[in-house]
Amino acid sequence: MLRPFDYFHPNDMAETLTLLDQEDETSVLAGGTDLLVKMRRGSIRPPVVVDIKGLEECQGIRWEGDRLSLGSLTTFNDLLRSQEAHKHFPLLIDAARVMGCYEVRERATLGGNVVNASPGAESGSPLAVLEAQVVLKGRRGERQMSIGHFWQGVGKTDLAPGELLVRIVIPRLPEGSRSTYLRRSRVQGMDLASVNVAVVVINPRLPESREIRVALGAVAPTPIRAREVETLLRGQEITSSLLSQMRDKIQEGLAPRTTSLRATPGYKKEMVGVLTEMALEVLLKG
Ligand SMILES: Cc1cc2nc3c(=O)[nH]c(=O)nc-3n(C[C@H](O)[C@H](O)[C@H](O)COP(=O)(O)OP(=O)(O)OC[C@H]3O[C@@H](n4cnc5c(N)ncnc54)[C@H](O)[C@@H]3O)c2cc1C
């Protein structure tokens, strides 16, 4: 059952930041698909809830120079409707397509997904591999950091008390780059990912200058880049022997938690290699 709480719905950034600064235990409400579940369950009981859906600054998808800027209130269905996402970052579309169901996607925001900081969240590995930055705002000013630094652990971020995630910015990829996102879940229907991978290939047709980026979700407390695999694959002709080395290397140092309800550590470690190989096959064949 929901405990009573004070509800505010400001339309102004300054007023929002003042409200967030006043109370220690204030919760920001975006789509509410995580927050309200936790409040109903009683795992959090904020006395004050600030609904940010009226904030213009947190909305919209637009280019700012060479970076696509996505308001934190962008929903997963907004992503699916975005021509820019389809054209430049198809892995975000792959991720949005498998996220929840239509009704959840209509409410659930990218910002909420990022701040909720679940290791297997749909936006996790895609934003890590795209080297996204987060723009945070508080009464003491604005700051920006890489998404990799923002996530600090399961459900933990660098968001300071009173701060708001305003936008997520993604640098434009070089012309001709390709990207995809693949995940495994326990059932075909609505289920969180047991494991996921996001792959970007820059210069897919020119092996000598080709760069391959790989990020993994649900195998560590936060989404992670597979840097050693990236080094192994850089500028190489993709052969079956290289792919076999890649599958071994990708498992090195991975220690998925043993308490996951969705998959065993062994399955996750094996599957990130399989999914990465599948992604490379799709991307390199075009
Ligand atoms: C039925 C169902 C299916 C789901 N399926 C999936 C799935 O397939 N994949 C997946 O990844 N997730 C899934 N989820 C989880 C959830 O929908 C997502 O994590 C969603 O993106 C959260 O966004 P929201 O806008 O609803 O966040 P909210 O619930 O509003 O907020 C989540 C957290 O982030 C904070 N917050 C939100 N926005 C901001 C901001 N701008 N600045 C600072 N703090 C903020 C809130 O205070 C809260 O702590 C599912 C949830 C449900 C209920």
Side-chain angles (χ1 to χ4, degrees):
M1 212 184 59
L2 276 180
R3 286 270 192 90
F5 56 88
D6 289 333
Y7 171 82
F8 294 90
H9 188 212
N11 293 317
D12 176 73
M13 181 59 84
E15 188 190 344
T16 306
L17 296 180
T18 305
L19 280 166
L20 294 179
D21 208 35
Q22 273 166 1
E23 299 271 353
D24 270 356
E25 290 178 74
T26 303
S27 279
V28 169
L29 171 76
T33 60
D34 279 319
L35 184 76
L36 290 175
V37 173
K38 288 181 189 167
M39 286 172 68
R40 282 220 178 85
R41 211 190 277 146
S43 54
I44 54 166
R45 297 189 165 97
V48 179
V49 170
V50 178
D51 186 338
I52 59 165
K53 283 194 283 297
L55 294 181
E56 187 72 34
E57 225 178 294
C58 296
Q59 288 167 8
I61 300 178
R62 56 178 176 270
W63 285 100
E64 287 171 359
D66 252 6
R67 304 186 316 166
L68 189 67
S69 168
L70 302 129
S72 62
L73 288 170
T74 300
T75 66
F76 282 84
N77 275 349
D78 289 337
L79 269 181
L80 290 175
R81 291 187 278 260
S82 160
Q83 288 307 313
E84 299 306 323
H86 277 271
K87 186 166 171 210
H88 298 275
F89 305 111
L91 78 174
L92 292 178
I93 301 298
D94 296 339
R97 277 205 184 105
V98 293
M99 152 83 189
C101 58
Y102 181 87
E103 290 78 5
V104 170
R105 290 194 291 271
E106 196 62 15
R107 292 202 70 81
T109 65
L110 199 55
N113 202 245
V114 166
V115 175
N116 195 53
S118 164
E122 237 60 72
S123 69
S125 58
L127 292 177
V129 86
L130 291 172
E131 303 187 337
Q133 300 257 321
V134 289
V135 180
L136 312 173
K137 222 171 197 177
R139 279 188 87 191
R140 278 159 283 285
E142 187 176 295
R143 59 192 184 117
Q144 198 162 329
M145 72 177 73
S146 77
I147 201 134
H149 284 106
F150 183 65
W151 289 313
Q152 304 208 325
V154 180
K156 292 198 187 96
T157 69
D158 193 46
L159 199 70
E163 253 183 343
L164 200 63
L165 168 60
V166 180
R167 307 195 74 79
I168 296 145
V169 289
I170 306 176
R172 189 192 287 271
L173 289 170
E175 197 65 35
S177 299
R178 295 177 186 155
S179 64
T180 192
Y181 168 83
L182 296 173
R183 54 116 94 170
R184 277 288 169 277
S185 54
R186 290 168 300 181
V187 292
Q188 281 293 318
M190 199 163 47
D191 193 17
L192 295 179
S194 308
V195 60
N196 65 54
V197 307
V199 179
V200 168
V201 180
I202 296 168
N203 285 331
R205 289 177 195 281
L206 298 168
E208 62 285 357
S209 57
R210 192 158 58 205
E211 184 191 332
I212 294 175
R213 293 191 210 156
V214 181
L216 317 175
V219 290
T222 66
I224 49 166
R225 284 283 287 277
R227 300 270 183 197
E228 290 188 8
V229 165
E230 296 178 3
T231 307
L232 175 77
L233 300 177
R234 184 168 303 129
Q236 298 296 316
E237 197 70 62
I238 304 294
T239 59
S240 52
S241 124
L242 186 68
L243 287 173
S244 158
Q245 282 181 58
M246 179 280 288
R247 285 196 305 271
D248 289 340
K249 173 104 12 224
I250 208 164
Q251 298 198 17
E252 280 173 17
L254 280 189
R257 69 191 168 107
T258 49
T259 50
S260 168
L261 295 175
R262 296 195 171 79
T264 62
Y267 176 87
K268 289 180 180 222
K269 287 172 74 170
E270 189 69 33
M271 200 42 82
V272 282
V274 172
L275 292 178
T276 304
E277 187 172 336
M278 284 166 70
L280 288 173
E281 191 170 339
V282 171
L283 297 175
L284 294 175
K285 283 191 179 153

